[in-house]
Amino acid sequence: MTHDEKPTVAVLGPGGIGGLLAGLLSRAGHRVICLAGDGTAAALRASGIRVRSGLFGDFTAAVETDTELRVPVDVCLVAVKQTALEAALDRVPPAALGDALLVPFLNGVEHPATLRARYREDVVAPAVIRVESTRVAPGEIVHGSPFAEIDLTGDGVAKERLEALADALGSAGPTTRVLPDETAALWAKMSFLAPLALLTTRYALPLGDVRTRHREELTALVEETAAVSRASGAPADPAQALARYDAFPATTRSSMQRDAEAGRPLELDAIGDALLRAAARHGVPVPVATRLVRELRNAGH
Ligand SMILES: NC(=O)c1ccc[n+]([C@@H]2O[C@H](COP(=O)([O-])OP(=O)(O)OC[C@H]3O[C@@H](n4cnc5c(N)ncnc54)[C@H](OP(=O)(O)O)[C@@H]3O)[C@@H](O)[C@H]2O)c1
């Protein structure tokens, strides 16, 4: 891939995130191949991806589809949820991926190791995305947030490859930057997300009620998460995290909470249990996180 060419992009899991990126990249002139199950692949082949976005406009973009990666690509974006990751990766045989970059957009901190166990270490380039985007039907994407920001990382990935991909993504729409420290990038997102997701889902309350009615727990959980982040080698600023929660609209809900309300599987292992595992590895006490994860499990999640 060079700066002059438009990379060919596969998108594994064309949902809220994958569908938005596939639509934007196709609109920008990239060849885009969405990898999905038969039903979703057929729907996308027939009608393309329809994006509704205040930031990027409303548009329909044609994409190719397949149930498995069979053609050479420059990049494969991975945008399934953690609960579907193992099964979905069967659609991307390592030989078909070759030396294409594999760029997961999942929340959490453990999936890069899962990918590196299956694929070449020097092609796994984790991304963090800040956006709110929802797949309302196969190929129908509603991008609700007035922002879409991507941090690209990848310990062991050539910097010029990350820069070229950041150029391509940035030209298609989302503000994209390359960050030098993968652990710091992943934990920055985790430190913000874990307290928000665990508390809003446990109490089935929007952020506004969590930060007033469960303030002590929120503060304790933010401090626990920051301690685990620091022990994992990433900086953390609990006071800043609290200030960010306070600045968000009171009606803010987490995607874990929306999944719980809709009866979908939660990314509890990737966000809650992963936090507990990291804490155990580093000997950091996390009593509030431990109780919240246990209560969510006891509630059937
Ligand atoms: N949505 C957001 O605003 C947002 C923001 C930041 C981070 N994230 C993170 O991004 C990741 C993706 O979330 P999302 O909201 O985009 O999820 P999503 O809307 O549920 O999309 C997931 C997609 O994966 C597909 N899929 C499931 N199993 C598959 C398989 N075996 N093979 C191929 N495709 C499969 C689904 O297909 P069907 O369409 O056929 O069901 C769906 O299109 C999560 O880790 C989430 O935490 C999301």
Side-chain angles (χ1 to χ4, degrees):
M1 183 191 354
T2 72
H3 284 259
D4 310 325
E5 295 165 353
K6 289 200 184 285
T8 298
V9 182
V11 177
L12 177 64
I17 298 298
L20 176 65
L21 297 176
L24 289 168
L25 287 163
S26 168
R27 181 173 74 165
H30 295 261
R31 181 181 178 199
V32 176
I33 302 141
C34 288
L35 306 172
D38 284 322
T40 296
L44 267 60
R45 205 159 39 241
S47 314
I49 294 186
R50 296 172 304 289
V51 174
R52 271 182 283 152
S53 165
L55 187 62
F56 300 126
D58 297 352
F59 64 94
T60 300
V63 291
E64 297 172 44
T65 64
D66 206 335
T67 54
E68 190 179 314
L69 183 62
R70 294 172 223 271
V71 295
V73 295
D74 297 297
V75 185
C76 178
L77 311 183
V78 180
V80 295
K81 289 195 164 154
Q82 176 245 354
T83 43
L85 181 62
E86 287 285 351
L89 290 177
D90 289 343
R91 302 188 189 282
V92 183
L97 184 71
D99 81 339
L101 285 182
L102 190 65
V103 183
F105 284 82
L106 284 72
N107 278 320
V109 293
E110 293 181 341
H111 57 276
T114 304
L115 297 179
R116 289 186 175 117
R118 273 201 194 220
Y119 304 94
R120 275 176 32 187
E121 299 218 353
D122 65 334
V123 301
V124 176
V128 166
I129 185 162
R130 288 175 292 281
V131 72
E132 193 175 317
S133 183
T134 307
R135 161 211 175 285
V136 293
E140 238 183 89
I141 309 298
V142 176
H143 167 214
S145 57
F147 53 85
E149 297 164 355
I150 296 172
D151 292 340
L152 266 182
T153 69
D155 293 349
V157 180
K159 183 142 191 276
E160 53 281 11
R161 298 193 77 187
L162 296 177
E163 299 282 5
L165 178 58
D167 278 357
L169 288 166
S171 303
T175 307
T176 306
R177 58 184 183 170
V178 174
L179 294 186
D181 184 339
E182 178 179 320
T183 305
L186 293 173
W187 273 101
K189 179 76 183 277
M190 180 80 156
S191 300
F192 180 75
L193 184 67
L196 174 71
L198 294 176
L199 283 167
T200 53
T201 309
R202 164 65 183 87
Y203 294 113
L205 289 172
L207 177 59
D209 289 325
V210 164
R211 71 189 173 209
T212 51
R213 290 163 58 181
H214 298 276
R215 184 83 190 174
E216 265 181 43
E217 261 174 286
L218 175 63
T219 306
L221 190 54
V222 166
E223 279 166 6
E224 286 179 10
T225 311
V228 179
S229 175
R230 273 192 225 102
S232 301
D237 186 342
Q240 193 197 36
L242 274 177
R244 279 181 71 199
Y245 296 131
D246 287 337
F248 266 62
T251 52
T252 300
R253 297 183 308 146
S254 67
S255 57
M256 185 184 284
Q257 179 181 11
R258 279 195 293 271
D259 284 342
E261 287 165 1
R264 292 187 292 261
L266 307 189
E267 292 187 304
L268 185 55
D269 186 71
I271 293 165
D273 295 283
L275 178 65
L276 304 190
R277 283 189 286 270
R281 248 190 331 272
H282 297 290
V284 177
V286 285
V288 176
T290 303
R291 178 176 53 74
L292 288 168
V293 171
R294 186 178 60 241
E295 288 171 351
L296 284 165
R297 290 266 176 245
N298 289 345
H301 297 300

